[in-house]
Amino acid sequence: MTRVWVNATFGSVHYAIRLLRENVDGHRYEIFGTHVNPASPVLAACDHAGLEPDIGGAAYGDWAVDFCRANSIDVVVPKRELLALCRRAGDLRANGTVLLASDAAVVEVLSSKSTMYETAGRLGLRVPRCSTVSTVEEFVAALGGLHAADLVACLKPAVGAGGEGFRVVAPEPAGIGSLYECPSQDITQEEIVRILTTVASFEPLVVSEFLPGPEYSIDCLGDDGALLLAVVRVKGEGGIRRIVDRPDLVDFARRVTEGYGMRSLFNVQVRGEGAAATLLEVNPRLSAGIYQSSLGGANLIHAAIQLALYGTRVFPVPSADVALVTVMGAVRQQTVFGPAIEPGRGDS
């Protein structure tokens, strides 16, 4: 029996945990889940559920080490406070707990889009034309540079997860039709300037060219710079996702893996194909859509755990050209212990 702790993460990981239990090896897992939100669907997939304290940084790292020791955790699948956990990987390992993540130095670089793009460019990876701005004047200048090059611009926080804060800079205000459509991510330069001038200072933003074409999400498993497994997903029309056979994009992910020395689960997002493939993000953790990749026959979470604990490097070849659609569902809310799972549970 392997004890796995999944800390506060995406609600969709509920499905990945269910697939983890259905692994082809018949390996038994006992799942501990914690979250800041007691209604998170992730908790409903766990054997034990608890609330996380409202702390961050080093304090969260201390709490996590104590939590793992008290509950005899074998493996941590991290998301919240990833960097803080990586900085305590040695302490976790000393207590017999493996953290599914790359080194803290790598995670720190990849946690900011600014340092990610800077280092990726030095590695020879194609990155979008972009600037990091911290003042209104810098924003206007960066936007002017992109417009002068005839490029569509977009805006996103330098530090953020998923699509948080992403906006496309529109040339004109929205028309009447926008009131009858789904909410748009478009925003005008004038509106951004108005918002920025309401505060004395703001966290860094990345002003970037908006890349056309389909977005590819590559779920990866690495081992100290070697890419062991990669599943390429693409968003299609009408909500369809596909797992596709794209050796060129797997090679792109391999260059990322080797360049940064990636380990365990991570996700690479790109737009474009072949020589035009351009990096959007490297997420040094499991992705929200990892359960979709599992539907192609590659149970990445199970594979990552088996690799970390036993060095197992035999994986199924993921199926290509698999079409996926998502459906809404409901699960019964898990009974939650608070503020955390009781110390000593691991001794039972």
Side-chain angles (χ1 to χ4, degrees), residues 77-102:
V77 182
K79 198 270 184 180
R80 183 189 176 203
E81 292 290 340
L82 175 61
L83 182 56
L85 291 174
C86 289
R87 287 173 173 160
R88 300 300 298 274
D91 297 319
L92 290 168
R93 194 179 308 113
N95 291 324
T97 303
V98 175
L99 179 69
L100 297 187
S102 294

Side-chain angles (χ1 to χ4, degrees), residues 189-267:
Q189 174 179 344
E190 291 73 19
E191 183 66 8
I192 296 172
V193 169
R194 185 195 67 77
I195 294 171
L196 295 180
T197 53
T198 63
V199 294
S201 63
F202 54 87
E203 294 297 318
L205 296 165
V206 173
V207 181
S208 169
E209 64 173 307
F210 178 72
L211 299 168
E215 178 179 322
Y216 294 91
S217 184
I218 312 167
D219 286 325
C220 303
L221 174 61
D223 185 22
D224 293 327
L227 182 64
L228 305 181
L229 190 59
V231 181
V232 183
R233 297 182 279 112
V234 63
K235 299 176 183 178
E237 296 292 334
I240 294 177
R241 270 74 167 164
R242 289 188 179 276
I243 296 173
V244 293
D245 182 18
R246 293 303 305 269
D248 57 328
L249 299 182
V250 172
D251 184 64
F252 190 100
R254 182 173 290 108
R255 292 167 60 199
V256 170
T257 310
E258 294 172 352
Y260 288 107
M262 301 299 294
R263 182 190 307 126
S264 198
L265 297 172
F266 61 100
N267 174 266

Side-chain angles (χ1 to χ4, degrees), residues 7-344:
N7 80 337
T9 188
F10 309 102
S12 59
V13 175
H14 170 95
Y15 299 107
I17 293 172
R18 289 173 56 182
L19 289 167
L20 178 60
R21 297 185 188 278
E22 299 166 4
N23 69 87
V24 296
D25 299 316
H27 190 92
R28 295 179 61 205
Y29 291 101
E30 186 175 7
I31 312 296
F32 291 70
T34 57
H35 211 284
V36 291
N37 178 8
S40 169
V42 171
L43 301 179
C46 300
D47 299 297
H48 313 287
L51 290 177
E52 295 190 4
D54 184 17
I55 54 177
Y60 186 90
D62 292 341
W63 176 81
V65 170
D66 290 342
F67 176 90
C68 290
R69 183 187 302 113
N71 294 286
S72 300
I73 300 298
D74 299 304
V75 179
V76 181
V77 182
K79 198 270 184 180
R80 183 189 176 203
E81 292 290 340
L82 175 61
L83 182 56
L85 291 174
C86 289
R87 287 173 173 160
R88 300 300 298 274
D91 297 319
L92 290 168
R93 194 179 308 113
N95 291 324
T97 303
V98 175
L99 179 69
L100 297 187
S102 294
D103 292 337
V106 173
V107 172
E108 185 169 15
V109 167
L110 296 176
S111 294
S112 166
K113 294 178 181 64
S114 302
T115 53
M116 179 195 67
Y117 286 142
E118 179 186 346
T119 53
R122 292 204 300 264
L123 291 172
L125 297 164
R126 186 183 178 97
V127 298
R129 177 171 169 174
C130 62
S131 303
T132 302
V133 303
S134 299
T135 67
V136 174
E137 293 75 18
E138 289 175 346
F139 165 72
V140 172
L143 197 62
L146 292 173
H147 286 168
D150 241 1
L151 297 172
V152 176
C154 61
L155 185 72
K156 48 194 168 184
V159 177
E164 291 176 349
F166 175 79
R167 298 290 186 274
V168 176
V169 184
E172 299 176 357
I176 184 66
S178 65
L179 299 180
Y180 302 90
E181 301 169 348
C182 292
S184 171
Q185 294 178 317
D186 290 0
I187 187 172
T188 63
Q189 174 179 344
E190 291 73 19
E191 183 66 8
I192 296 172
V193 169
R194 185 195 67 77
I195 294 171
L196 295 180
T197 53
T198 63
V199 294
S201 63
F202 54 87
E203 294 297 318
L205 296 165
V206 173
V207 181
S208 169
E209 64 173 307
F210 178 72
L211 299 168
E215 178 179 322
Y216 294 91
S217 184
I218 312 167
D219 286 325
C220 303
L221 174 61
D223 185 22
D224 293 327
L227 182 64
L228 305 181
L229 190 59
V231 181
V232 183
R233 297 182 279 112
V234 63
K235 299 176 183 178
E237 296 292 334
I240 294 177
R241 270 74 167 164
R242 289 188 179 276
I243 296 173
V244 293
D245 182 18
R246 293 303 305 269
D248 57 328
L249 299 182
V250 172
D251 184 64
F252 190 100
R254 182 173 290 108
R255 292 167 60 199
V256 170
T257 310
E258 294 172 352
Y260 288 107
M262 301 299 294
R263 182 190 307 126
S264 198
L265 297 172
F266 61 100
N267 174 266
V268 179
Q269 296 178 15
V270 302
R271 282 190 189 269
E273 302 172 350
T278 304
L279 181 67
L280 294 180
E281 290 194 41
V282 181
N283 298 306
R285 49 160 174 75
L286 83 171
S287 70
I290 195 170
Y291 71 100
Q292 297 174 4
S293 292
S294 296
L295 296 179
N299 195 329
L300 283 153
I301 296 182
H302 174 62
I305 293 173
Q306 295 302 297
L307 174 68
L309 293 182
Y310 311 113
T312 303
R313 300 168 69 98
V314 179
F315 315 117
V317 177
S319 302
D321 199 25
V322 176
L324 314 170
V325 291
T326 57
V327 296
M328 294 184 63
V331 292
R332 178 172 293 183
Q333 184 178 358
Q334 172 68 290
T335 301
V336 178
F337 297 92
I341 295 173
E342 342 173 323

